[in-house]
Amino acid sequence: MSSTFIGNLALSIFGQSHSAAIGTTLDGIPAGEPIDMDLLGKFLRRRSPGSFPWATTRKEYDVPEVLCGIVNGKTCGAPITAIIRNKDTKSSDYDNIRDIPRPSHADFTANVKYKGFQDVSGGGHFSGRLTAALCLAGGICLQILARRGIYIGAHVGSVGHYQDQSFDPMAVDKSIFSALHDMSFPTINREAAEDMIGSIQDAKINGDSVGGSVECAAIGLPPGLGDPIFDGMENRISRLIFAIPAVKGIEFGLGFSAASMLGSYHNDPFCISKDSIATSQNNHGGILGGITSGMPLIFRVAIKPTPSISKPQQSVSLSKMESAALSIRGRHDPCIVPRAVPCVESAAAIAILDAILQPCNLEK
Amino acid sequence: MSSTFIGNLALSIFGQSHSAAIGTTLDGIPAGEPIDMDLLGKFLRRRSPGSFPWATTRKEYDVPEVLCGIVNGKTCGAPITAIIRNKDTKSSDYDNIRDIPRPSHADFTANVKYKGFQDVSGGGHFSGRLTAALCLAGGICLQILARRGIYIGAHVGSVGHYQDQSFDPMAVDKSIFSALHDMSFPTINREAAEDMIGSIQDAKINGDSVGGSVECAAIGLPPGLGDPIFDGMENRISRLIFAIPAVKGIEFGLGFSAASMLGSYHNDPFCISKDSIATSQNNHGGILGGITSGMPLIFRVAIKPTPSISKPQQSVSLSKMESAALSIRGRHDPCIVPRAVPCVESAAAIAILDAILQPCNLEK
Amino acid sequence: MSSTFIGNLALSIFGQSHSAAIGTTLDGIPAGEPIDMDLLGKFLRRRSPGSFPWATTRKEYDVPEVLCGIVNGKTCGAPITAIIRNKDTKSSDYDNIRDIPRPSHADFTANVKYKGFQDVSGGGHFSGRLTAALCLAGGICLQILARRGIYIGAHVGSVGHYQDQSFDPMAVDKSIFSALHDMSFPTINREAAEDMIGSIQDAKINGDSVGGSVECAAIGLPPGLGDPIFDGMENRISRLIFAIPAVKGIEFGLGFSAASMLGSYHNDPFCISKDSIATSQNNHGGILGGITSGMPLIFRVAIKPTPSISKPQQSVSLSKMESAALSIRGRHDPCIVPRAVPCVESAAAIAILDAILQPCNLEK
Amino acid sequence: MSSTFIGNLALSIFGQSHSAAIGTTLDGIPAGEPIDMDLLGKFLRRRSPGSFPWATTRKEYDVPEVLCGIVNGKTCGAPITAIIRNKDTKSSDYDNIRDIPRPSHADFTANVKYKGFQDVSGGGHFSGRLTAALCLAGGICLQILARRGIYIGAHVGSVGHYQDQSFDPMAVDKSIFSALHDMSFPTINREAAEDMIGSIQDAKINGDSVGGSVECAAIGLPPGLGDPIFDGMENRISRLIFAIPAVKGIEFGLGFSAASMLGSYHNDPFCISKDSIATSQNNHGGILGGITSGMPLIFRVAIKPTPSISKPQQSVSLSKMESAALSIRGRHDPCIVPRAVPCVESAAAIAILDAILQPCNLEK
């Protein structure tokens, strides 16, 4: 279904980088939920490029317009459609990529799939611009979750070879999320941020880009959310996370580190904590058998370096079927990782709200 | 939908570890496809415990019975349902886990979700036993793919701290798959296998278990398969891979290694090779923008150590809400990784066939 | 998805008329529901041909085997798969229909769709035999609904030109369902039944068949079930009802009769009845805007005459592309309507349970 | 999923009668399809009220704005989102219906389902206004079908007791569709139209409304479209047709008339016609076993009288739980049937295009 996610919620993401608008429809949101548009705008600004050295100089004001589904500030049970107009577009920047696909972009594969009819401007439907629509949906879900005591936060886990400190999986707190949400470059360790920003500036100066990772946590989740086999929390979250371009991997709990461990070390003993069941360590990242355990849900996402670099690159001319040199013009992020942080939070929020809105049972 | 995957194919996985049978229904397979039952049986035996030191002593004969959908050896267009009877079950082994959940198993979370009505025997629907049903479906898909020149193979990427050599992402060949499929402990480097088996035996002697990883490749894929946003190849494969219990992470192409790279290094230049478009290196793992590029598709999966260990562990009594010691009886795999190899291939095969069966267009 | 229904429940129907077994998987049934297998068997026998003059002489014992999903008589939350073995099959009866399609059967259209690979025996996946699998699923749903005070019943509304009395839409009572369920030829008016049976016997003697209709009611439904636009109760029920071969129409409330009415006559005034909102007449058939009103839900289904008749018919030879006479051998129902009654109840039960299991909301 | 239809296409319908806009997203339309916006506008005007005596005086200009998915006049493979702004809205007309639900409207049932948070203005998401969004999607699908030689047309089958002539099921021709599409009150028999318009004017004068029916045909369909069990053409079309408010029934081919027939009369013999397989009569309405036969596909839809009438009616006050008289103000159609004609065509077009875009098979 490509751009339509169907679970307990139905979510569609539409638009191209340079179409009249991008947007989202969220179908299945309960009626009566207050949606704070200022808060939503503020959330979207976390994804905006701003005037930071790590981001594109394209200006995106990202003021969402709600077309329907919200009446007098509250959801009315009908689908919510919200759009963002595209403004500062320069389609002429993309003239040559119809013939000469940019390395590690979707230009070539989209050309094959859509037989040349794809929208090439700005990467079309494959552009990172579409994550603004994901954040629109995610920002709404985050507000609904927060009202139920469920909070989600993420930070830049690494950029290049510089690592941020990780969340303490036993003690993730709402306050750390608040602090992170207020930072333009959200890290737990402020010194790490400086190193990371330095490496991004180096890349920028060299006409290059750099990759990184994002760590995300969700707290306040009741145990028992999620489903076995194809709709476990990992399946759900992964399906949404890979909607973010440039994501190349995801791991839950200890993830790939668990692969080298002994069971006696990795297993998390159950214990009683504050009259309820908990685990005395949290290597499992809050998910067992696809279902939430009530412990903080923790995952990490690998993000490749932005493929758009101004350094000359080697490609091919599709029309001539011969080698061709490519210099990418246009405005691009030398590192997409800080702007990916609210996107990762959004994907997690949608997945978690989807799991919460599970089919339930008329009382006997 | 928990145990029903819906894409272009519909796939359901049903059964519990100790129910009368487990099985699968595959709806949407084209008519007229020969299915070789001997080949399917042979594929299933790759998942069977055999009498190897790394596997449970539970005997699973895993002889599939096709109930419908195949007539005279060929698919007839109707749903294919195939089952495997459960035989060597010892439910009494699981009497105490209803009250005392096993650490890092789904016992506790399933108990919350299903309010105590879940099938606890052998882990019920959450058991690794269910991967035999996944392999039933996967084995059928693999035959259909092979007929179209698409081949999938995987190997044990690591066990504990021992690593196998990786696939050469530019030169994965059908012959390496054949060789791996014939090995009971499939590695590219035979010496690595010995070290790995040794570490599994050590774990077993200590009443412990050990984790690892699986690397999988698919070759012969045409460019242009997959969809943007929610149904990219990464989304599809992830959704199926996390159906395998114990998987904690997945990465495509260079995956988490890409996170520390510069774009100029990570980007894969396009080139002409044998009159068609290729890339001169394959860091992207055969997927760009969610869509296949025609290069080998490569991903790696992290598998946690089997949570069932015979070492005494700490847990709680759900009825008494107090700490309780737990000793797990029953027969378990000290390392699930080698048996996970055909499961990973199965998940990949289903995802790829699902992408191939894309909606297409009546000719104009 | 053809044979897989996806809503809040996932339901698959599998099997062919002469395959080893037919069956169903129901995924999403809440855990802890007692399922009475005797009651289920009794329900299935209402669909069985018995030794009645209106039914085929094929013997179908229809003893269901539950493969999984039910433990100690209760649902465990995992998918429920139940099968019925096919026994009294005579595939040789169908040798010639591969080449000479039976008029008004699916032989020709299935041949085009499946390129000749379809299972022709007994109509394969298109056979009325598959409704036994629908009744398996429906019988389970009916038990779960009854426990919540929701009852469903149907009767033969007409056969040929003979009409049964209709349900009183304001006063459908559980007792009338009980009475109908005990009849081999369920009608409200017993004299109508005699006339109907007479017309069926006439058709049988003449090597012919006759059509009819079924009226179905559901009571005890709370107001507020169903969804707007594509998932109203009418959409849901229709989608399931047309899974029954030979159904050619469906109408809700007054249905086609409403088309000739004035609004002032058709509109149902609201009133207070027993401290809750009701309507003082029930032309709307219990559904307004796709959502239940709390009044009895009533619909009628048109069933064409069984296409299998022993009278000689005109068809074509697909291999020779020329006219060909056809005499249908095999055992067939001269009127499928009485056996369709539990099938219609099943479709309604699945649709209603699907609507009841609506996504719900974690408490704020 | 309420307002999201998922098949081979994904279709969402969003908006409320008085929200900023209504619209649709169509995901899965092939790339490269020219979309003629003038033709689409013309199609939408067939649904517009115009200044006809049978229609509301609400002015709806219904100028669609394409937000994305179409580039340089052609589909680009990304989701197509198109919206229509709501302009001539008078929300104050609906102040009292929050407390006093209109008989045979969705006011009461929506109030229960959405706990009072539903948008009551103009009926909110349940308004007939939403069919403009259905027509937006349908108009696009109709253009794509026409390019493949598939044409769909409908006419007013009846209003009150006046019947139009039916399509000749053996000889539906494109020219009759063209003629019907040019009429503001489309009937085959022009005299019938006069009688119908007269009965609508009578109803209007009396502050009343009147019901009717629509007959629809599709020609040029290749045999072999559709799927068994839950996704037959009848299931698909029904699911979409019941998205039109006020529809109370649907029948295919002879429909309810088939219920009184003998098989020997109803069965349609196969014959050879112009070197291909046809039937010598078309009682089956172009569908056998859920799959198209290649004969004209024909169905009829029952439409209840518009529930909004200005005659005083009896209802209840939800706040006081007592009887209350209701006089409906606002502008309404005394007969919705002529405006339903393009809506029925739209539902059919979406269902048929969905069936055409069936999963297909990479060549072996």
Side-chain angles (χ1 to χ4, degrees):
Chain A
M1 281 307 107
S2 80
S3 307
T4 309
F5 172 92
I6 297 293
N8 299 320
L9 285 171
L11 166 70
S12 77
I13 297 288
F14 51 83
Q16 300 112 245
S17 185
H18 293 190
S19 59
I22 61 168
T24 187
T25 295
L26 262 168
D27 187 6
I29 296 291
E33 297 289 332
I35 303 299
D36 181 330
M37 291 304 292
D38 289 339
L39 208 58
L40 184 60
K42 195 177 161 198
F43 178 70
L44 287 172
R45 277 193 296 281
R46 289 178 49 211
R47 201 208 68 94
S48 291
S51 4
F52 301 108
W54 53 80
T56 172
T57 57
R58 173 174 173 175
K59 296 297 163 224
E60 299 170 351
Y61 299 93
D62 285 3
V63 178
E65 181 192 1
V66 172
L67 296 183
C68 55
I70 299 180
V71 177
N72 298 328
K74 289 187 180 167
T75 59
C76 68
I80 301 166
T81 299
I83 63 172
I84 300 170
R85 294 275 166 186
N86 281 323
K87 284 179 182 161
D88 185 19
T89 59
K90 296 194 183 173
S91 294
S92 59
D93 285 344
Y94 296 90
D95 281 351
N96 63 334
I97 67 172
R98 184 179 291 282
D99 188 47
I100 304 177
R102 294 168 295 173
S104 294
H105 263 287
D107 301 336
F108 167 64
T109 56
N111 187 70
V112 174
K113 182 172 178 70
Y114 301 114
K115 304 186 171 69
F117 293 106
Q118 76 283 6
D119 185 1
V120 295
S121 298
H125 190 53
F126 294 85
S127 167
R129 175 75 183 132
L130 270 287
T131 57
L134 188 75
C135 286
L136 252 183
I140 290 170
C141 294
L142 282 163
Q143 293 191 20
I144 294 170
L145 292 173
R147 202 167 297 122
R148 285 154 182 79
I150 298 169
Y151 301 96
I152 295 172
H155 65 105
V156 176
S158 68
V159 166
H161 294 289
Y162 297 101
Q163 305 273 335
D164 190 19
Q165 194 181 322
S166 295
F167 285 124
D168 175 350
M170 293 297 289
V172 184
D173 188 83
K174 195 185 148 183
S175 63
I176 197 171
F177 293 162
S178 305
L180 289 167
H181 293 170
D182 285 341
M183 300 175 195
S184 59
F185 197 100
T187 56
I188 298 174
N189 179 334
R190 295 313 300 153
E191 290 173 25
E194 287 172 35
D195 291 336
M196 292 173 184
I197 293 171
S199 74
I200 295 172
Q201 284 174 316
D202 286 351
K204 191 182 184 183
I205 288 164
N206 295 321
D208 212 331
S209 65
V210 63
S213 65
V214 172
E215 186 186 45
C216 184
I219 57 173
L221 289 165
L225 296 178
D227 292 275
I229 313 278
F230 300 116
D231 274 331
M233 294 309 300
E234 297 103 332
N235 309 250
R236 269 188 167 99
I237 292 172
S238 298
R239 193 171 175 211
L240 280 150
I241 281 291
F242 282 109
I244 306 170
V247 171
K248 295 302 281 183
I250 187 166
E251 60 177 11
F252 296 86
L254 290 191
F256 280 88
S257 303
S260 59
M261 285 185 183
L262 294 176
S264 58
Y265 181 91
H266 183 264
N267 280 3
D268 297 327
F270 288 107
C271 62
I272 309 286
S273 168
K274 297 178 193 159
D275 292 332
S276 60
I277 311 286
T279 57
S280 58
Q281 59 184 28
N282 183 14
N283 291 338
H284 68 288
I287 309 173
L288 291 172
I291 299 174
T292 55
S293 68
M295 298 300 289
L297 190 160
I298 295 182
F299 67 95
R300 267 167 310 282
V301 169
I303 295 175
K304 71 178 183 184
T306 323
S308 292
I309 56 176
S310 54
K311 275 194 175 176
Q313 295 183 88
Q314 201 57 36
S315 184
V316 294
S317 159
L318 298 178
S319 60
K320 301 180 190 158
M321 282 298 278
E322 62 181 31
S323 289
L326 178 74
S327 288
I328 299 182
R329 293 187 303 270
R331 301 155 296 179
H332 302 287
D333 297 80
C335 181
I336 202 70
V337 180
R339 295 180 63 202
V341 167
C343 305
V344 169
E345 292 172 357
S346 291
I350 298 164
I352 289 169
L353 186 59
D354 185 63
I356 286 175
L357 296 171
Q358 60 195 310
C360 68
N361 206 347
L362 193 71
E363 284 310 306
K364 283 176 253 193
Chain B
M1 280 309 108
S2 80
S3 308
T4 309
F5 172 92
I6 297 292
N8 298 322
L9 284 172
L11 167 69
S12 78
I13 296 287
F14 51 82
Q16 299 114 243
S17 184
H18 293 189
S19 59
I22 61 170
T24 187
T25 295
L26 262 168
D27 187 7
I29 296 291
E33 296 289 334
I35 303 299
D36 180 331
M37 292 303 294
D38 288 338
L39 208 59
L40 184 59
K42 195 177 161 197
F43 179 70
L44 288 171
R45 278 193 295 283
R46 289 179 48 210
R47 203 207 68 93
S48 291
S51 1
F52 301 108
W54 54 80
T56 172
T57 57
R58 174 173 174 177
K59 295 297 164 224
E60 298 171 353
Y61 299 93
D62 285 3
V63 179
E65 180 191 4
V66 172
L67 296 182
C68 54
I70 298 179
V71 176
N72 298 329
K74 289 187 180 168
T75 59
C76 68
I80 301 167
T81 299
I83 63 171
I84 299 170
R85 296 274 166 187
N86 282 321
K87 283 182 181 159
D88 185 21
T89 60
K90 296 194 182 175
S91 294
S92 59
D93 285 343
Y94 296 90
D95 281 351
N96 64 333
I97 67 174
R98 183 178 293 281
D99 189 46
I100 305 176
R102 293 168 297 171
S104 294
H105 264 285
D107 301 337
F108 167 64
T109 56
N111 187 69
V112 174
K113 182 171 179 70
Y114 299 113
K115 302 186 171 70
F117 293 106
Q118 76 282 7
D119 185 0
V120 295
S121 299
H125 190 53
F126 295 84
S127 167
R129 175 76 183 130
L130 271 286
T131 57
L134 188 74
C135 286
L136 251 183
I140 290 170
C141 294
L142 283 163
Q143 293 190 19
I144 295 171
L145 291 173
R147 200 167 298 122
R148 284 155 183 79
I150 297 169
Y151 301 95
I152 296 172
H155 66 104
V156 176
S158 67
V159 166
H161 294 289
Y162 296 101
Q163 306 273 334
D164 190 19
Q165 194 181 323
S166 295
F167 284 124
D168 175 350
M170 293 297 289
V172 184
D173 188 84
K174 197 185 148 185
S175 63
I176 196 170
F177 293 163
S178 304
L180 289 166
H181 293 170
D182 286 340
M183 300 177 196
S184 59
F185 196 100
T187 56
I188 298 174
N189 180 334
R190 296 313 300 152
E191 288 174 26
E194 284 171 37
D195 290 337
M196 293 173 183
I197 293 172
S199 75
I200 295 172
Q201 282 173 318
D202 286 351
K204 189 180 185 182
I205 288 163
N206 295 321
D208 212 331
S209 66
V210 63
S213 65
V214 172
E215 187 185 43
C216 183
I219 56 172
L221 290 165
L225 296 179
D227 292 275
I229 313 278
F230 301 116
D231 275 330
M233 293 310 301
E234 298 102 333
N235 309 251
R236 269 187 167 98
I237 293 173
S238 297
R239 193 169 176 212
L240 281 150
I241 281 290
F242 283 110
I244 305 170
V247 171
K248 296 302 281 183
I250 186 167
E251 60 178 10
F252 295 85
L254 289 190
F256 280 88
S257 303
S260 58
M261 285 186 183
L262 295 176
S264 58
Y265 182 90
H266 183 264
N267 281 4
D268 297 327
F270 286 108
C271 62
I272 308 286
S273 169
K274 296 178 195 161
D275 292 330
S276 61
I277 313 284
T279 58
S280 58
Q281 57 183 29
N282 183 12
N283 291 337
H284 69 288
I287 309 174
L288 290 172
I291 299 175
T292 54
S293 68
M295 298 298 290
L297 191 160
I298 295 183
F299 66 94
R300 271 167 306 283
V301 168
I303 295 175
K304 70 178 184 183
T306 324
S308 292
I309 56 176
S310 54
K311 276 194 174 175
Q313 293 183 91
Q314 202 55 37
S315 184
V316 296
S317 159
L318 298 177
S319 60
K320 300 179 190 158
M321 282 300 277
E322 63 181 32
S323 288
L326 177 73
S327 288
I328 299 181
R329 294 188 301 273
R331 300 155 295 177
H332 302 286
D333 298 77
C335 181
I336 202 71
V337 181
R339 295 182 61 203
V341 167
C343 305
V344 168
E345 292 171 356
S346 291
I350 297 164
I352 289 170
L353 186 59
D354 184 63
I356 287 176
L357 296 171
Q358 58 194 311
C360 68
N361 206 348
L362 194 70
E363 284 308 307
K364 283 176 253 193
Chain C
M1 282 308 109
S2 83
S3 308
T4 310
F5 171 92
I6 296 293
N8 298 321
L9 284 171
L11 167 68
S12 77
I13 296 287
F14 52 82
Q16 300 114 244
S17 185
H18 293 189
S19 60
I22 61 169
T24 188
T25 295
L26 263 168
D27 187 7
I29 297 291
E33 297 289 333
I35 303 299
D36 181 330
M37 291 304 292
D38 289 338
L39 209 58
L40 184 60
K42 196 177 160 198
F43 178 70
L44 287 172
R45 279 193 294 281
R46 289 179 49 211
R47 202 208 67 93
S48 291
S51 2
F52 301 108
W54 55 79
T56 173
T57 55
R58 174 173 172 175
K59 298 296 163 225
E60 297 171 352
Y61 300 94
D62 284 4
V63 179
E65 181 191 4
V66 172
L67 296 183
C68 54
I70 299 179
V71 176
N72 298 327
K74 290 186 179 169
T75 58
C76 68
I80 301 167
T81 299
I83 63 171
I84 300 171
R85 294 275 167 186
N86 281 322
K87 283 181 183 161
D88 185 21
T89 59
K90 295 193 183 175
S91 294
S92 59
D93 286 343
Y94 297 90
D95 281 350
N96 63 332
I97 67 173
R98 184 178 292 280
D99 188 47
I100 306 178
R102 293 168 297 173
S104 294
H105 263 286
D107 301 336
F108 167 64
T109 56
N111 187 70
V112 175
K113 183 172 178 68
Y114 299 113
K115 303 187 171 71
F117 293 107
Q118 75 281 6
D119 185 0
V120 294
S121 299
H125 191 52
F126 294 85
S127 167
R129 175 77 183 130
L130 270 287
T131 58
L134 188 74
C135 286
L136 251 184
I140 290 170
C141 294
L142 283 163
Q143 293 190 21
I144 295 170
L145 291 172
R147 201 167 297 123
R148 283 153 182 80
I150 298 169
Y151 301 96
I152 295 172
H155 66 104
V156 177
S158 67
V159 166
H161 295 288
Y162 297 101
Q163 305 274 334
D164 190 18
Q165 196 180 322
S166 294
F167 284 125
D168 175 352
M170 293 297 289
V172 184
D173 189 84
K174 195 186 149 185
S175 63
I176 196 170
F177 293 162
S178 306
L180 288 167
H181 293 170
D182 285 342
M183 299 176 197
S184 58
F185 197 99
T187 57
I188 298 175
N189 179 334
R190 294 316 298 154
E191 289 173 27
E194 287 172 36
D195 290 337
M196 291 172 182
I197 294 172
S199 73
I200 296 171
Q201 283 174 317
D202 286 352
K204 191 181 185 183
I205 288 165
N206 295 320
D208 213 330
S209 66
V210 62
S213 66
V214 172
E215 188 187 43
C216 183
I219 57 174
L221 290 165
L225 296 179
D227 292 276
I229 314 278
F230 300 116
D231 274 332
M233 293 309 301
E234 298 103 331
N235 310 251
R236 270 188 167 99
I237 293 174
S238 297
R239 195 173 174 209
L240 281 150
I241 281 290
F242 282 109
I244 306 171
V247 171
K248 295 302 281 183
I250 186 166
E251 58 177 13
F252 295 86
L254 290 191
F256 280 87
S257 303
S260 59
M261 285 185 183
L262 294 175
S264 58
Y265 182 92
H266 183 264
N267 280 3
D268 297 326
F270 287 108
C271 62
I272 308 287
S273 168
K274 296 178 194 158
D275 292 332
S276 62
I277 312 284
T279 57
S280 58
Q281 59 185 26
N282 183 14
N283 290 338
H284 69 288
I287 309 173
L288 290 172
I291 300 174
T292 55
S293 68
M295 299 298 290
L297 190 160
I298 295 184
F299 67 94
R300 269 168 306 283
V301 169
I303 294 174
K304 71 177 183 183
T306 324
S308 292
I309 56 176
S310 54
K311 276 193 175 178
Q313 295 183 89
Q314 200 57 36
S315 184
V316 295
S317 159
L318 299 177
S319 60
K320 300 179 190 159
M321 281 300 276
E322 62 181 32
S323 289
L326 179 73
S327 288
I328 299 180
R329 294 188 303 271
R331 299 156 296 176
H332 302 287
D333 298 79
C335 181
I336 203 71
V337 181
R339 295 180 61 201
V341 167
C343 305
V344 169
E345 292 171 357
S346 291
I350 296 164
I352 290 170
L353 185 60
D354 184 63
I356 286 175
L357 296 170
Q358 60 195 311
C360 69
N361 205 349
L362 194 70
E363 283 311 306
K364 283 176 254 194
Chain D
M1 283 305 108
S2 82
S3 306
T4 310
F5 171 92
I6 297 292
N8 299 321
L9 284 172
L11 167 69
S12 78
I13 296 288
F14 51 83
Q16 300 113 245
S17 185
H18 294 188
S19 59
I22 61 169
T24 187
T25 296
L26 262 168
D27 187 6
I29 296 291
E33 297 288 333
I35 303 298
D36 181 331
M37 291 305 291
D38 289 337
L39 208 59
L40 184 60
K42 196 179 160 196
F43 178 70
L44 288 171
R45 277 194 296 282
R46 288 179 50 210
R47 201 208 69 93
S48 292
S51 1
F52 300 108
W54 54 80
T56 173
T57 57
R58 173 172 174 177
K59 297 298 162 224
E60 297 171 353
Y61 299 94
D62 284 5
V63 179
E65 182 192 3
V66 172
L67 296 182
C68 54
I70 298 179
V71 177
N72 297 328
K74 289 188 180 167
T75 59
C76 68
I80 300 166
T81 299
I83 63 171
I84 299 170
R85 295 274 166 188
N86 282 322
K87 283 178 181 160
D88 184 21
T89 60
K90 296 192 181 176
S91 293
S92 60
D93 286 342
Y94 296 90
D95 281 351
N96 63 334
I97 67 173
R98 183 178 293 282
D99 188 46
I100 305 178
R102 294 168 298 173
S104 294
H105 263 288
D107 300 337
F108 167 64
T109 55
N111 187 70
V112 175
K113 182 171 179 69
Y114 300 114
K115 303 187 171 70
F117 292 106
Q118 76 282 6
D119 184 0
V120 295
S121 299
H125 191 53
F126 294 85
S127 168
R129 175 76 182 130
L130 270 287
T131 57
L134 188 73
C135 285
L136 252 183
I140 290 169
C141 294
L142 283 163
Q143 292 189 23
I144 295 171
L145 291 174
R147 201 166 298 123
R148 284 154 182 79
I150 298 169
Y151 301 96
I152 295 172
H155 65 104
V156 176
S158 67
V159 167
H161 295 289
Y162 297 100
Q163 305 273 334
D164 189 18
Q165 195 180 322
S166 295
F167 285 124
D168 174 351
M170 293 296 290
V172 184
D173 188 84
K174 197 185 149 185
S175 64
I176 198 171
F177 293 164
S178 305
L180 289 167
H181 293 170
D182 285 341
M183 300 176 195
S184 59
F185 196 100
T187 55
I188 297 175
N189 179 335
R190 294 314 300 153
E191 289 173 26
E194 286 172 36
D195 291 336
M196 292 173 182
I197 294 172
S199 74
I200 296 172
Q201 283 174 317
D202 286 351
K204 190 180 185 183
I205 289 165
N206 295 322
D208 212 331
S209 66
V210 61
S213 65
V214 173
E215 187 186 43
C216 185
I219 56 172
L221 290 164
L225 296 179
D227 292 275
I229 314 278
F230 300 116
D231 275 331
M233 293 309 301
E234 298 102 332
N235 311 249
R236 269 187 167 99
I237 293 174
S238 297
R239 192 169 176 212
L240 281 151
I241 281 289
F242 283 109
I244 305 171
V247 171
K248 295 301 281 184
I250 187 168
E251 58 177 13
F252 295 85
L254 290 190
F256 279 89
S257 303
S260 59
M261 283 186 184
L262 294 176
S264 57
Y265 182 90
H266 183 265
N267 281 4
D268 297 328
F270 286 108
C271 62
I272 308 287
S273 168
K274 296 176 195 163
D275 293 331
S276 62
I277 311 285
T279 57
S280 56
Q281 57 183 29
N282 183 12
N283 291 336
H284 69 287
I287 309 173
L288 291 172
I291 299 175
T292 54
S293 68
M295 298 299 290
L297 191 160
I298 295 183
F299 66 94
R300 269 167 306 283
V301 167
I303 295 175
K304 71 178 184 183
T306 324
S308 291
I309 57 175
S310 55
K311 275 193 174 176
Q313 295 184 89
Q314 203 55 38
S315 183
V316 296
S317 159
L318 298 177
S319 61
K320 300 179 189 159
M321 281 300 277
E322 61 182 30
S323 289
L326 178 72
S327 287
I328 299 180
R329 294 187 304 270
R331 300 156 294 177
H332 302 287
D333 297 79
C335 181
I336 202 70
V337 181
R339 296 180 63 203
V341 168
C343 305
V344 168
E345 291 170 357
S346 291
I350 298 164
I352 289 170
L353 186 59
D354 184 63
I356 286 176
L357 296 170
Q358 59 195 310
C360 68
N361 205 349
L362 194 69
E363 285 310 305
K364 283 177 253 191

